[in-house]
């Protein structure tokens, strides 16, 4: 019988070839920069990360999650059993029958994959990926049939040489796709690279329910700042790119892609794969970058990415909203990669597009992005009688005002928030003219030098004073202060104003009346929601005002960006639509008359949409409007207290 | 762009000052001079500063893609134009580019004039671009108010001051700025004695000139003081045929003399 | 017009009737006439008006009055002759080199002349202000601006851009007249350049952007406008605008002086004339005439045609840029470019706050809009309420007719 000797030989040679492929692939990753990982700990944690954390993400799509469990589970089990049964020739019904079962399981999964692939949505890649369900079916069917004799169901040699030949061909196809292809760049590469990617992920904090969203600092003394060539990425970033399954969930969520800007996160990751392995994008079988034809991108591990592989406009289209990262079942870090490449463009090339250069110059010269006089930062509060840290030195709460201080629209939000703070008798103070831009914009534009300079000076100022926590109305500053100042020695408890007001309401320190008006929907700011996981406080606060939210289809962790993050309004890459317009469309679909927001940037972007459109208001404004002023005795008493103190 | 790879071009730079924060930065016009130099002869352009090599803002000139920046070492009270003049008459470049006016110090804008006088070269003021350099003669576009341009021909060598109308300077990149070599050249210092007697203070707000009222009688003074201010809404033309409306606009344009 | 004084009964009647719609226009200050001897004479009969109760009333505040009938005739004679300021045999000169933009004194020139007199006033000896004017001019009021002596240098050598020639002449002035002070307007219209060139030639250290000058000390703007430098007043000054009040109470002699030796030099700078500049290549911040488009524009081809026909630089509101009809660098406003145009025509722009901030420095604003209540109309000096498409079509036609007519006239 041919198969008796052919099968082990085939198995052995394919496994050997796969091993060579694996070593080759690993060496491609090793071309990246060193990045310390917990090698054994990572490997040990890998199964759990795969079965729990990754499954959580995949499970958002029940169909695909079940399909994947059946197919992948069936395949892994089958492969182990195939090696035992057909390579080592262990003849045991205890092995053969489970093998039959697992191949049936895999077959079932594969039929669902097949069904999904019959009319695939545009986000899925075609090309070799269209072959995959057939390969899965062939593999499972072939090994089912091949194993039947071993299970004693069929006599040895059943079917003669014709069937044997057909089965041999099936074995070659199945093993070729599933094992050889796994390390030599077929669709199954995702299993091999994905498993290792989970083990050596650059942000292990993300597993087990944690969160890690702050950008990593640049070593400003490095010979090249940022990522110029694919080999300038950390090795585990390269590994991460290779783990992509081209499912296109990122593409479906990306606001820039939807707006027709030349960015497609899936294509970007595939371009990085081209970069690390060398070649062109002619064979890429998914949606291209809007407006850019396929087949012209070329790259290699040591050639500059932005010269031939990726158009800089692609990188500058990103709003850093993290929708792609949130959606990625492989937990790939798109935003990190994009900012790494932006760093090179800004810090080494001096090529920040649009108003980027001007904004950065202003940040350097005046500590605010619009070049206003640094000494006029407190002008908005001339009538507010705020306490300034340089005078009081100490307060319970440090109110981080942010650059909204210079913008007349944002000042309304600030005033509303101050009104609430005062109503609740919060002991708070501001930094006044000592405050600087948090550095968010500089960092997202790739200028980590300016970010670090701003961060260090802000931290030095804050370290002079004593306060328990920081509250800010700007989610960008919130994120940066909370997550990105740690690398420079600034570890603070930072709250977003919605969280803080919600706390005040819950503690009964302020009373909110009912909101009067029509339907309300809530827009989750990316830097509050996806970056910091705060989805509940704003909603609780709105319901405390008696508001029944009409949620948008894309809300919570799937909220669509307003288009204002990542310096996107500054770099201003043209598209077919504007992101803010799409977001207002989302809001209109709920029939809302008012969009509640928790971010001044979102307010500005959404209010920039041509009327008629729903009204835009920050939650602080809504709360201040709904504030029920305490009865007269309360403030009078405190005033008397103050008097007493002064006299004493 | 002019073909000038073979020419020796020197761009003089000073330490600028941000108009709002007063913080040191690369000066707008000097950066434009460097930009013009880079466009004319690429990295070969020699960028020269007279002052302190430790000045951080020089790095932002270097960040425009310069490998090297030469600094004539001068103390704060020295007259930089003397040092620059000596250096230039020693090295005799083909073109010297400067800004129109420095953003710090006296801001007199005399440096290009003094250098041209000392070198005996022609000076072209407020240039926007150098269109052509052929047979030792340059065709220069001079910036006039309101975006107008004048063409000027001049033989090399010459001094030119670069106006704000010239091409905006490229972005300064941090990395190359850090790595560029700042070559410190100790140089003879000439004390600026006139300047030593200056008293410098933060700028006072200049009072806006009021509409002068030369009133001879009490009644006239009273009238001037209580006169209703002019304005309060312009003319509104509504419900008239479009050609009359257009005519009204056209008349205004003619009256203002903006139709050429 | 005949000199015969005629009564205008209708005008008198209107002047008496305060309820008449033309009353305000007809009312004029009380009549004064200059008699044959040059003395001012009041005509008691022309003063006052008949009040409602038939009694003659005299209103000395000049708010209303009769004598309207002779108003027009009297106006020319009303110009008051200012006293003549004479300087015979001056001990020294203060030279003011004037810009003379368009052949006329600029307000900056007048300030400089005022400063010149301020330096002379109350000093020792008698000084005369010597104004130097290059090329042809159209100015008739040198006497009222404070010019005691005028050195008018004409000739083909002063045509076009010739700073070297002018400086050579000024150096000659220095030799011949040894002025005590040299004053220049510190302007981009040539004053700054000539002043600096002469300073370098004479080896003088000028005071630049000087805005408060007396014989001892000068206060100059330095440090890019951020600092004031107080210094001893040098011989050569470049004066900032509004450095001193212009002369307005005296007349001056305007005696012509001559230069004994007129130098003629070879210009190293060869003026090849002004270059035609496409209005759309002028940067928005510098443009003098902007046609700006907003959300209300539907026919963009027509808008571009209109800009071309009128020779205007194109601008746009944020919305028009966001919608992709105009490039980002055309955006006018606080978030785009702050413009300084003399005439700003806003077509279909309702006027967001940021936009209004950006056009704050514009002289004349014209709005074409369908909404009479929008902010742009409130700001505009001339507002057209109607369909922008039709108005622009008419404007294009008018501009083309004007161009063709102009061409015919020139031919």
């Amino acid at each position: 019988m041919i198969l008796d000797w052919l099968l082990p030989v085939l198995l052995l040679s394919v496994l050997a070839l796969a091993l060579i492929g694996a070593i080759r692939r690993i060496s491609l990753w090793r071309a990246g920069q060193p990045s310390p990982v917990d090698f054994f700990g990572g490997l040990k944690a890998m199964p759990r990360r795969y079965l729990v954390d990754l499954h959580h993400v995949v499970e958002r799509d029940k169909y695909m999650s079940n399909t994947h469990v059946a197919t992948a589970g069936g395949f892994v089990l089958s492969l182990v059993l195939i090696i035992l049964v057909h390579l080592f020739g262990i003849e045991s019904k205890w092995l053969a029958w489970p093998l039959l079962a697992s191949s049936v399981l895999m077959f079932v999964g594969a039929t669902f994959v097949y069904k999904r692939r019959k009319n695939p949505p545009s986000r899925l890649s075609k090309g070799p990926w269209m072959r995959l369900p057939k390969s899965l079916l062939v593999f499972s069917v072939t090994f089912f049939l091949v194993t039947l004799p071993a299970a004693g169901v069929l006599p040895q040699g059943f079917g003669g040489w014709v069937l044997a030949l057909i089965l041999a061909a099936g074995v070659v196809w199945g093993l070729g796709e599933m094992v050889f292809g796994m390390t030599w760049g077929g669709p199954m590469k995702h299993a091999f690279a994905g498993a290792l990617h989970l083990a050596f992920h650059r942000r292990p904090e993300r597993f087990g329910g944690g969160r890690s969203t702050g950008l990593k600092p640049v070593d400003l003394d490095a010979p090249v700042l940022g990522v110029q060539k694919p080999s300038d990425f950390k090795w585990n970033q390269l590994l991460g790119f290779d783990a992509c399954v081209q499912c296109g969930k990122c593409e479906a969520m990306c606001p820039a892609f939807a707006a027709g800007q030349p960015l497609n996160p899936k294509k970007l990751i595939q371009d990085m794969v081209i970069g690390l392995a060398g070649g062109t994008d002619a064979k890429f079988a998914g949606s291209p970058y809007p407006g850019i034809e396929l087949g012209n991108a070329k790259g290699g591990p040591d050639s500059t990415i932005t010269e031939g592989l990726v158009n800089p406009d692609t990188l500058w289209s990103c709003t850093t909203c993290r929708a792609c990262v949130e959606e990625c079942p492989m937990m790939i870090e798109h935003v990190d990669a994009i900012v790494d490449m932006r760093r090179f463009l800004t810090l080494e090339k001096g090529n920040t597009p649009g108003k980027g250069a001007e904004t950065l110059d202003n940040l350097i010269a005046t500590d605010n992005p619009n070049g206003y006089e640094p000494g006029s930062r407190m002008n908005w509060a001339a009538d507010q009688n705020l306490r300034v840290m340089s005078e009081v030195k100490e307060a319970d709460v440090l109110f981080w005002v942010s650059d909204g201080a210079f913008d007349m629209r944002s000042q309304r939000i600030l005033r509303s928030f101050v009104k609430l703070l005062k109503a609740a008798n919060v002991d708070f103070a501001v930094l006044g003219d000592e405050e600087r831009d948090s550095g968010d914009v500089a960092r997202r534009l790739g200028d980590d030098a300016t970010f670090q300079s701003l961060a260090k000076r802000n931290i030095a100022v804050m370290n002079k004073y004593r306060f328990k926590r920081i509250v800010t109305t700007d989610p960008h500053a919130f994120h940066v202060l909370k997550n990105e100042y740690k690398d420079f020695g600034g570890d603070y408890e930072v709250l977003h104003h919605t969280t803080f007001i919600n706390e005040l309401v819950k503690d009964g320190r302020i009373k909110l009346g009912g909101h009067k008006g029509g339907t309300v929907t809530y827009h989750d700011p990316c830097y509050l929601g996806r970056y910091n996981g705060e989805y509940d406080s704003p909603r609780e606060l709105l319901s405390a005002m008696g508001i029944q939210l009409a949620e948008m289809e894309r809300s919570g962790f799937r909220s669509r960006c307003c288009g204002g993050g990542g310096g996107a309004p500054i770099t201003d890459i043209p598209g077919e639509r504007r992101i803010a317009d799409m977001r207002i469309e989302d809001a209109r679909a709920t029939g809302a008359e008012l969009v509640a927001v928790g971010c001044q940037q979102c307010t500005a972007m959404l209010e920039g949409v041509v009327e008629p459109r729903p009204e835009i208001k920050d939650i602080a404004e809504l709360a201040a409007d709904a504030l029920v002023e305490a009865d007269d005795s309360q403030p009078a008493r405190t005033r008397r207290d103050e008097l007493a103190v002064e006299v004493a | 762009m002019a073909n000038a790879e073979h020419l020796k071009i020197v761009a003089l730079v000073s330490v600028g000052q941000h108009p709002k924060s007063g913080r040191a930065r690369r000066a707008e016009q000097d950066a434009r001079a460097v930009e013009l130099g880079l466009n004319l002869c690429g990295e070969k352009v020699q960028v020269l500063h007279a002052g302190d090599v430790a000045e951080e803002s020089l790095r932002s000139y270097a960040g425009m893609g310069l490998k090297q920046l030469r600094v004539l070492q001068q103390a704060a009270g020295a007259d930089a134009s003397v040092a620059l003049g000596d250096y230039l008459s020693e090295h005799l470049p083909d073109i010297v580019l400067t800004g129109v006016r420095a953003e710090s110090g006296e801001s007199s804008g005399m440096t290009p004039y003094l250098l041209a006088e000392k070198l005996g070269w022609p000076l072209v003021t407020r240039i926007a671009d150098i269109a052509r350099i052929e047979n030792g003669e340059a065709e220069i576009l001079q910036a006039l108010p309101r975006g107008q341009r004048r063409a000027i021909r001049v033989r090399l060598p010459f001094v030119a001051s670069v106006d704000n109308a010239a091409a905006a300077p490229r972005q300064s990149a941090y990395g190359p700025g850090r790595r560029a070599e700042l070559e410190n050249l100790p140089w003879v210092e000439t004390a600026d004695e006139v300047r030593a007697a200056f008293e410098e203070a933060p700028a006072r707000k200049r009072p806006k000139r009021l509409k002068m009222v030369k009133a001879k009688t009490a009644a006239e003074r009273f009238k001037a003081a209580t006169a209703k201010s002019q304005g309060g809404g312009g003319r509104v033309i509504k419900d008239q045929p479009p050609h009359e409306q257009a005519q009204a606009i056209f008349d205004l344009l003619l009256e203002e003399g903006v139709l050429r | 017009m005949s000199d015969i004084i005629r009564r205008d009964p209708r005008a008198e009647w209107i002047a008496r009737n305060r309820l008449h719609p033309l009353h305000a226009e007809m009312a004029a200050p009380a009549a004064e006439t200059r008699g044959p001897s040059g003395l001012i004479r009041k005509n008691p009969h022309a003063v006052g008006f008949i009040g409602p109760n038939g009694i003659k009333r005299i209103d000395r505040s000049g708010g209303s009055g009769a004598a309207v009938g002779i108003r027009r005739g009297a106006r020319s004679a009303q110009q008051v002759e200012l006293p003549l300021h004479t300087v015979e045999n001056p001990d020294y000169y203060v030279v003011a080199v004037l810009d003379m933009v368009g052949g006329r004194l600029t307000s900056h020139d007048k300030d400089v002349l005022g400063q010149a007199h301020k330096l002379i006033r109350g000093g020792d000896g008698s000084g005369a202000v010597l104004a130097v004017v290059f090329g042809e001019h159209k100015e008739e009021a040198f006497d009222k601006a404070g010019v005691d002596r005028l050195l008018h240098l004409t000739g083909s050598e002063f045509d076009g851009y010739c700073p070297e020639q002018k400086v050579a002449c000024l150096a000659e002035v220095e030799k011949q007249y040894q002025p005590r002070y040299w004053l220049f307007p510190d302007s981009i219209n040539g004053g700054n350049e000539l002043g600096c060139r002469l300073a370098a030639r004479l080896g003088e250290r000028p005071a630049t952007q000087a805005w408060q000058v007396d014989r001892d000390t000068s206060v100059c703007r330095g440090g890019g406008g951020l600092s004031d430098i107080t210094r001893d007043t040098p011989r050569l000054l470049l004066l900032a605008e509004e450095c001193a009040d212009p002369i307005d109470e005296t007349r001056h002699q305007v005696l012509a002086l001559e230069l004994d030796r007129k130098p003629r030099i070879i210009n190293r700078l060869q003026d090849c004339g002004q270059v035609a500049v496409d209005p759309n290549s002028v940067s928005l911040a510098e443009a003098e005439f902007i046609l700006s488009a907003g959300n209300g524009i539907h026919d963009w081809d027509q808008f571009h045609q209109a800009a071309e026909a009128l020779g205007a630089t194109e601008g746009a509101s944020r919305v028009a840029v966001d919608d992709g009809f105009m490039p980002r660098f055309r955006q006018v406003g606080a978030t785009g470019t702050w413009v300084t145009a003399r005439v700003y025509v806003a077509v279909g722009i309702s006027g967001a706050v940021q936009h209004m901030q950006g056009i704050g420095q514009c002289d004349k604003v014209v709005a074409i809009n369908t909404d009479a209540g929008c902010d742009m109309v409130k700001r505009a000096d001339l507002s057209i309420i109607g369909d922008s498409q039709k108005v622009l079509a008419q404007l294009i036609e008018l501009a083309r007719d004007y161009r063709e007519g102009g061409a015919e006239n020139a031919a």
Side-chain angles (χ1 to χ4, degrees), chain A residues 85-161:
Chain A
V85 173
H86 295 293
L87 183 60
F88 298 129
I90 301 171
E91 290 191 23
S92 157
K93 296 211 166 149
W94 293 108
L95 290 176
W97 277 100
L99 176 50
L100 286 179
S102 66
S103 51
V104 168
L105 180 66
M106 183 176 169
F107 180 80
V108 172
T111 40
F112 280 107
V113 178
Y114 186 79
K115 250 175 80 185
R116 160 66 63 104
R117 283 276 162 185
K118 267 196 131 165
N119 208 349
S122 69
R123 64 178 169 85
L124 289 174
S125 288
K126 318 289 183 304
W129 293 87
M130 294 308 277
R131 192 182 71 212
L132 184 62
K134 291 169 206 154
S135 307
L136 292 169
L137 289 173
V138 166
F139 184 91
S140 54
V141 169
T142 309
F143 278 98
F144 182 79
L145 292 178
V146 167
T147 312
L148 283 180
V153 178
L154 286 177
Q156 298 281 346
F158 174 83
W161 62 273

Side-chain angles (χ1 to χ4, degrees), chain C residues 32-189:
Chain C
E32 287 176 352
T33 48
R34 191 167 292 277
S37 63
L39 288 176
I40 291 173
R41 296 204 174 274
K42 278 190 181 167
N43 177 3
H45 301 292
V47 178
F49 56 96
I50 307 297
N53 52 5
I55 300 172
K56 183 165 181 169
R57 302 226 169 251
I58 297 177
D59 176 5
R60 297 206 188 276
S61 75
S64 67
V68 207
I70 54 164
R71 198 168 56 123
R72 287 190 187 85
R75 182 169 283 177
S76 59
Q78 255 196 12
Q79 298 276 336
V80 182
E81 193 84 38
L82 298 169
L84 188 68
H85 170 91
T86 52
V87 191
E88 311 299 340
N89 303 322
D91 299 325
Y92 63 91
Y93 288 105
V94 174
V95 175
V97 182
L98 306 176
D99 275 347
M100 304 296 289
V101 176
R104 288 203 165 81
L105 286 169
T106 63
S107 70
H108 200 168
D109 285 338
K110 291 178 185 168
D111 296 342
V112 169
L113 290 169
Q115 180 68 59
H117 281 284
K118 204 173 143 198
L119 285 168
I120 293 174
R121 215 172 296 143
D124 54 321
S126 67
V129 173
L130 166 57
V132 179
V133 171
F134 293 104
E136 298 301 328
H137 69 78
K138 303 178 212 153
E139 184 60 54
E140 289 160 355
F142 280 123
D143 56 342
K144 292 199 185 96
V147 176
D148 297 321
R149 302 286 187 274
L150 179 66
L151 176 59
H152 187 196
L153 296 159
T154 48
S156 60
E157 65 266 37
F158 299 110
D159 292 346
Y161 178 66
C162 52
E164 293 169 310
Q165 174 68 41
K166 290 176 179 173
V167 167
C169 289
L170 294 178
E172 206 50 42
V173 172
E174 165 82 4
K175 261 191 226 152
Q176 191 176 335
Y177 294 102
Q178 299 283 329
R180 185 172 283 187
Y181 294 108
W182 278 99
L183 305 184
F184 294 83
D186 198 343
S187 71
I188 52 172
N189 297 312

Side-chain angles (χ1 to χ4, degrees), chain A residues 47-63:
Chain A
R48 196 188 142 73
R49 289 176 181 179
Y50 176 75
L51 294 170
V52 179
D53 296 297
L54 189 139
H55 189 72
H56 273 320
V57 182
V58 182
E59 218 185 358
R60 291 171 189 167
D61 184 350
K62 276 275 193 292
Y63 178 98

Side-chain angles (χ1 to χ4, degrees), chain A residues 532-554:
Chain A
N532 289 294
E534 181 60 283
Y535 303 110
D536 298 335
S537 286
R539 289 184 167 77
E540 282 175 24
L541 196 50
L542 288 169
S543 76
M545 284 181 252
I547 294 173
Q548 287 270 327
L549 280 184
E551 291 282 6
M552 287 183 264
E553 191 192 327
R554 295 185 180 218

Side-chain angles (χ1 to χ4, degrees), chain B residues 17 101 103 105-107 120 123 125 142 146 149-151 153 192 199 201 203-204 206 209 235 237 260, chain C residues 161 186 193 197 205 221 223-224 226 228 230 241 244 268 270 272-273 275 288 340 381 383 385 403:
Chain B
Q17 191 175 199
R101 245 178 195 165
E103 294 175 356
E106 194 181 344
S107 281
L123 165 69
T125 52
Q142 187 181 40
R146 291 290 178 199
R149 301 279 183 271
R150 177 191 283 138
R153 297 182 77 85
D192 187 347
E199 273 174 51
R204 267 182 293 154
R206 277 183 68 184
R209 180 185 282 172
R235 197 153 63 102
I237 303 184
R260 269 185 245 277
Chain C
Y161 178 66
D186 198 343
E193 177 170 1
R197 279 184 193 269
R205 175 107 172 210
R221 274 283 139 90
L226 287 183
D228 275 336
T230 311
E241 257 177 288
R268 292 179 294 182
Q270 191 192 335
C272 304
V275 183
E288 136 172 86
T340 59
D381 300 275
S383 304
I385 311 301
R403 287 282 140 78

Side-chain angles (χ1 to χ4, degrees), chain B residues 13-17 24-25 27 30 49 55 57-58 61 103-104:
Chain B
V13 298
S14 62
V15 177
Q17 191 175 199
R25 61 160 184 180
D30 296 353
H49 171 71
E55 176 58 48
S57 52
L58 292 179
Y61 291 107
E103 294 175 356
S104 52

Side-chain angles (χ1 to χ4, degrees), chain A residues 217-218 443 448 451-452 455-456 459 484-490:
Chain A
V218 170
R443 188 162 233 202
D448 225 45
F451 166 76
Q452 292 187 16
K456 283 173 188 160
I459 290 169
E484 297 190 351
Y485 275 20
K486 287 199 181 94
D487 293 319
F488 307 96

